[in-house]
Amino acid sequence: MPLYLTGGGWHVSGIRISTVNSHYAKAAVQQGRNGAGGEMILFLRHGIYHEVFLGTNDFCTAAVPKRVLRDLGFRC
């Protein structure tokens, strides 16, 4: 899965693509060994997943359909 993230040193794991809308996915991310980390919501555009939201909470405020958020495991 092609993924575009700004900055360098990202470690990405636990990628899950939505079964409701495959244009959306989530991933666990961390920048560097000791850098910031959290969950990232991604959107597929031109064949590459791009960041829509990065955080450790407030996922329900992301500009993502609620049914997609529920499918990806976020309780909204």
Side-chain angles (χ1 to χ4, degrees):
M1 162 167 83
L3 180 62
Y4 174 79
L5 300 174
T6 57
W10 287 99
H11 175 73
V12 180
S13 63
I15 297 170
R16 179 177 173 194
I17 297 172
S18 172
T19 59
V20 172
N21 183 338
S22 62
H23 281 86
Y24 290 96
K26 77 170 185 175
V29 296
Q30 183 172 357
Q31 191 169 25
R33 276 199 179 135
N34 300 316
E39 294 259 25
M40 185 176 285
I41 299 174
L42 307 161
F43 182 75
L44 183 65
R45 188 173 61 234
H46 304 295
I48 299 171
Y49 280 95
H50 297 264
E51 174 187 339
V52 172
F53 186 89
L54 171 62
T56 56
N57 55 23
D58 295 331
F59 294 98
C60 297
T61 64
V64 176
K66 298 298 182 203
R67 63 189 194 119
V68 170
L69 289 172
R70 284 190 301 272
D71 181 53
L72 291 175
F74 302 108
R75 299 184 190 268
C76 297

